[in-house]
Amino acid sequence: MTTVMESNPDVLRSEAPPPGRKARRPRQQLWIWLMLLPTVVLYGLYTVYPIVASYWLAFLEWNGFTAEKTFVGLENFQAVLADPLFWNSFRITVIFMLAVVPPKVILTLLLALALNSANLPFRTFFRTAYFLPVVTTAAIVGIVMQFVFDPASGPVNLALRRLGIIDAGINFLGDSSYALWTAAGVYVWKWFGITMIYWLAALQTIPDEVYEAARIDGAGAWQLMKSITLPLLKPFLIIITLLSFESALKVFDLMLTMTNGGPFYATEVVEIYIYRWAFAATVPQLGHASAAAVIFGLFVCVVGLFQIFGVRSVQKARAI
Amino acid sequence: MRMTRRGLLQGAGALGAAALLGGCDTASSGGGGGGGGGAGGPLTWWDHTPNLQAANERIFARFTEESGTPVEYSYHQTNEMGEALQIANQSDQLPDVLTNVGLRLPVPALIDEGWFQAGAFPEEALSRLPETSLIEGIHTFDGKVYSFPVFADRQYWAITWYNTEMLEAAGVEPPTTYDEYRAVARAVQDSTPEETSGVIFNLGQRPRVAEHVNFLAQAAGFPGFGGDMYQTGEVQFHHEAYLTVIEFLLSLQQDGLLYPASGQLADAEARVRWAAGGAGLYMDGPWCPGSLGTSNAEEFLPKLGVAQMVKPDAGTELAAYRAPQGGMYWISGASQNVEAASQLIGYQTEEPYYIDIANGMAQPPLDVSVIEKADVHPAWAEMVGWFQDQVYLAPSPSAKNPRISAVNAMATAIEPDLGMIVQGAFSGDVPDWQGALKELSDKVMAQREENVAAVQAEGVEVSMDDWAFPDWEPRQDYTPEMYS
């Protein structure tokens, strides 16, 4: 490259900016950075700083009430890793993730296929209706669901009793056999709309001409689905699935308001475990909470790595 | 001057940056906002007791009238107060006056950390307090008064509240023993619509569950509180009395008498559902009638009835023990309005304030003699009368040796705690709850021994004997002179 440029002065001449432009560039960059400054500062204050601080706190013993912070090295990490309740919360987090992602991805795909059909009446209404829970505050959803699933007077139990399916009310949120699965169901319902929108966007990338050509060749509905829609959606499937896995790790507000991690730790996901140690323990231990957060953060990074691999594989597939 | 697009953007950017930098200034303005401590601004007051709101509003109005300084009141739910204070402290926004619920460190440790400062209470205000009200290590530290009690020590927090209409309709009398309690719950459940249960409980609020069990254990014969045995200082959550109480509570569920949603209800929710006809019986503290909420209170108070804390059998004489309690309101270490805050808090030793406490039907006021002058529900007044006969002053390790605060400050959370074990017993997740209680006792004892040794190693004079009161006798007050 150097050789080409040296041997061809025209190239050099054409790439060199005009004198006035060269002088303006630093000023332009200054304004770019100035405009970015609010985002950079806020991102730094509310995202980067807490992350860095939590890494530092993980090496300290500190209850949050005193000024004294004692450096304890890796003791907090050892305590977290030796705590069966941490592994319980980790297990619950993974089970929750595995429980919600498949139905969320598959059911929303089916719904998006239906809503993408030009023949479906009121499809805008349905899209809006399914999206409404997404814009509802998760904490409010959690509180409302306590009433919806109330074993005494909740509409779900009343309906089941009137239909003769059960004799006595089921304690969906207060019984450890049901609580996690109920919470998983609510989560899928709450975030159904966002995944549906992803699928609708993906479906709209498939050109109509491809379908028309296939129809002319005599393809039926099932063949269109099997040979065109699903293969072309495959790259999106990877991305949407990975995004769903990642978002299933963030259920703090919903779970806290709906079950508070109970009964007896049955729905205590890692986020609530961290919160309990940081704020709700008899004597809060911010170091212990931070160590758990760091370990959980590493797990999220692993999930994020899968996402990067997924994106790359999609890009490669598209390039081919 | 002609404004260009670029000029407009530059100006907007500069304004935005200035606003951002301005917004980053978190220093107390001393004027408004939630943060207290500024001199010359309003006095800020954080509280967790809705029952005292009316009483406090009256002293706020008087204070503002006399001093010209307004009072900014903020309410925080009991469960959330500690978290709010923790965050306020870290962001230098503590109020001038605060209730210390949720601050789980011993008071001396909090004083050392600058959370509280001594008050400059008017001598006249302090002189109105009963002679033995201020105890070194609880209210005074190094001879300085930091706070004083506003509530009576003689009370217990597992009272049987009931719906008189339901009991009358069922043809039963209020229960006093476990068998009677189950029978009444059964009769109420059988004589009311399907949605009504015999009993409602607040199993979703673990600390409250633990309080109920601790007091019920005293009624069942446990010679101590919170697992600590007064005479020996041993920790025995696995004592027979605890087992008896938890078996009784579980029997309510096994007999199908428990309101179905009890497993996830906090006390405020359980109380409202009980008042709305969800159940006939509800176990709660003395603040129950004052915490019903305006709409429920009007309709429900005429039906309110109260019975003494339930005990295993008729032959057991009811007795409960409660150590001298710390003050309710404290002046934050960050406050620059100590004089003003002290003057305001000082009004709380006057008779009208005690009458207002009684009117709010919270915990009984320090001077219970004012109740006859107050407008209270007869059931609440009757309950306070029982407290005078059934509740004895318990010994306090902090009063015996204030230096144990160094040991308590080192304590860390032990999970599952008493409340969680009881919750797990109800949900079926802790089938061997008796074993879990023994394990809890062992862990608490081991941690205390370890912390005592660590504090001793630093040259502080503490010992495990500081938790033991060999001269304690059942049904006797442990008086201040007995500490010496």
Side-chain angles (χ1 to χ4, degrees), chain A residues 24 27-28 31 34-35 37-38 41-42 45 61-68 85 146-147 149-153 161 167 169 171 173-176 258 260 262-266 268 275-286, chain B residues 6 9-11 13-14 16-17 20 24 82-83 85-87 89-90 102-105 109-110 113 115 194-195 204 206 259-265 269 273 408-409 411-417 420-421 423-424 427-430:
Chain A
R24 277 208 305 271
R27 275 186 64 197
Q28 276 181 343
W31 279 107
L34 192 61
M35 293 299 171
L37 189 65
V41 170
L42 292 175
L45 277 176
E61 187 183 322
W62 184 42
N63 57 31
F65 295 128
T66 61
E68 186 188 349
L85 288 177
Q146 283 190 342
F147 291 97
F149 289 106
D150 189 289
S153 53
R161 277 154 74 178
D167 295 327
N171 202 346
L173 296 171
D175 185 326
S176 46
M258 201 157 48
N260 196 15
F264 199 77
Y265 313 106
E268 189 176 81
Y275 171 79
R276 177 162 62 78
W277 275 96
F279 294 109
T282 319
V283 178
Q285 294 293 329
L286 289 166
Chain B
R6 176 166 296 172
L9 284 171
Q10 285 172 349
L20 186 73
C24 288
E83 186 180 331
L85 290 172
Q86 194 180 343
I87 292 167
N89 182 48
Q90 285 164 27
L103 294 179
R104 278 105 176 189
L105 286 186
L110 291 167
E113 292 296 332
W115 277 83
E194 195 189 351
E195 312 83 66
R206 290 160 47 191
Y259 185 78
S262 294
Q264 69 246 39
L265 295 178
E269 298 151 351
R273 291 195 188 203
N408 293 337
T412 53
I414 293 173
E415 294 276 347
D417 58 15
M420 188 57 109
I421 290 170
Q423 193 186 75
S427 68
D429 292 296
V430 189

Side-chain angles (χ1 to χ4, degrees), chain B residues 115-439:
Chain B
W115 277 83
F116 303 144
Q117 58 182 311
F121 303 109
E123 198 52 46
E124 190 193 353
L126 294 179
S127 67
R128 285 191 288 263
L129 291 167
E131 204 176 317
T132 55
S133 297
L134 300 180
I135 298 172
E136 179 69 16
I138 296 178
H139 309 102
T140 66
F141 301 88
D142 295 328
K144 294 175 192 160
V145 181
Y146 279 74
S147 187
F148 49 78
V150 294
F151 294 131
D153 288 328
R154 292 180 202 279
Q155 50 177 301
Y156 52 75
W157 291 0
I159 300 136
T160 301
W161 296 97
Y162 62 86
N163 182 320
T164 52
E165 275 187 6
M166 285 187 188
L167 264 67
E168 280 166 21
V172 286
E173 291 296 314
T176 57
T177 66
Y178 291 174
D179 284 341
E180 287 175 11
Y181 198 93
R182 277 187 288 261
V184 168
R186 169 61 61 202
V188 166
Q189 188 161 299
D190 290 348
S191 62
T192 47
E194 195 189 351
E195 312 83 66
T196 302
S197 299
V199 188
I200 194 164
F201 203 29
N202 44 222
L203 282 162
Q205 191 172 344
R206 290 160 47 191
R208 193 65 85 213
V209 171
E211 281 165 4
H212 289 339
V213 173
N214 280 322
F215 278 112
L216 287 169
Q218 288 188 334
F222 183 68
F225 188 76
D228 286 351
M229 310 249 303
Y230 294 139
Q231 282 181 325
T232 62
E234 286 175 274
V235 178
Q236 285 211 10
F237 284 108
H238 56 290
H239 188 277
E240 191 60 36
Y242 275 92
L243 305 187
T244 305
V245 168
I246 297 171
E247 271 167 12
F248 158 63
L249 294 173
L250 286 171
S251 73
L252 299 170
Q253 178 173 264
Q254 285 149 7
D255 293 352
L257 300 171
L258 201 60
Y259 185 78
S262 294
Q264 69 246 39
L265 295 178
D267 66 346
E269 298 151 351
R271 194 180 298 120
V272 167
R273 291 195 188 203
W274 165 68
L281 301 167
Y282 177 53
M283 206 174 282
D284 201 0
W287 52 80
C288 178
S291 305
L292 286 167
T294 317
S295 56
N296 288 304
E298 276 176 26
E299 198 181 330
F300 185 72
L301 277 178
K303 305 176 197 169
L304 179 77
V306 67
Q308 298 174 14
M309 181 158 58
V310 73
K311 57 191 180 182
D313 52 64
T316 311
E317 199 180 334
L318 191 60
Y321 306 92
R322 194 157 177 263
Q325 298 298 298
M328 173 64 90
Y329 296 102
W330 301 76
I331 300 170
S332 85
S335 175
Q336 293 172 35
N337 299 309
V338 181
E339 295 274 337
S342 303
Q343 186 195 341
L344 175 56
I345 299 174
Y347 297 153
Q348 293 182 332
T349 63
E350 294 178 2
E351 188 182 87
Y353 188 76
Y354 295 139
I355 294 173
D356 280 339
I357 291 179
N359 285 336
M361 292 187 283
Q363 297 179 47
L366 185 67
D367 180 2
V368 292
S369 70
V370 304
I371 289 175
E372 58 191 31
K373 299 176 189 168
D375 178 20
V376 300
H377 194 285
W380 190 83
E382 189 181 14
M383 173 204 68
V384 176
W386 293 333
F387 287 162
Q388 309 316 306
D389 300 330
Q390 295 165 351
V391 185
Y392 299 88
L393 286 181
S396 161
S398 297
K400 183 180 181 183
N401 182 3
R403 290 181 291 272
I404 67 156
S405 67
V407 178
N408 293 337
M410 293 177 72
T412 53
I414 293 173
E415 294 276 347
D417 58 15
L418 176 62
M420 188 57 109
I421 290 170
V422 176
Q423 193 186 75
F426 270 88
S427 68
D429 292 296
V430 189
D432 181 19
W433 50 269
Q434 298 92 335
L437 289 173
K438 174 76 173 72
E439 201 177 326

Side-chain angles (χ1 to χ4, degrees), chain B residues 434-455:
Chain B
Q434 298 92 335
L437 289 173
K438 174 76 173 72
E439 201 177 326
L440 175 64
S441 303
D442 293 344
K443 283 182 179 173
V444 173
M445 201 67 182
Q447 189 185 73
R448 187 178 294 166
E449 281 170 350
E450 191 182 324
N451 293 344
V452 164
V455 171

Side-chain angles (χ1 to χ4, degrees), chain A residues 3-73:
Chain A
T3 316
V4 173
M5 286 167 77
E6 281 171 354
S7 62
N8 187 354
D10 288 342
V11 174
L12 273 174
R13 208 175 300 130
S14 66
E15 287 196 353
R21 213 183 202 187
K22 195 176 179 181
R24 277 208 305 271
R25 183 169 288 171
R27 275 186 64 197
Q28 276 181 343
Q29 283 191 343
L30 180 73
W31 279 107
I32 289 167
W33 279 109
L34 192 61
M35 293 299 171
L36 283 173
L37 189 65
T39 306
V40 171
V41 170
L42 292 175
Y43 184 77
L45 277 176
Y46 296 109
T47 304
V48 178
Y49 172 70
I51 290 173
V52 174
S54 73
Y55 271 78
W56 171 236
L57 282 175
F59 294 96
L60 305 176
E61 187 183 322
W62 184 42
N63 57 31
F65 295 128
T66 61
E68 186 188 349
K69 299 168 188 160
T70 312
F71 184 81
V72 291

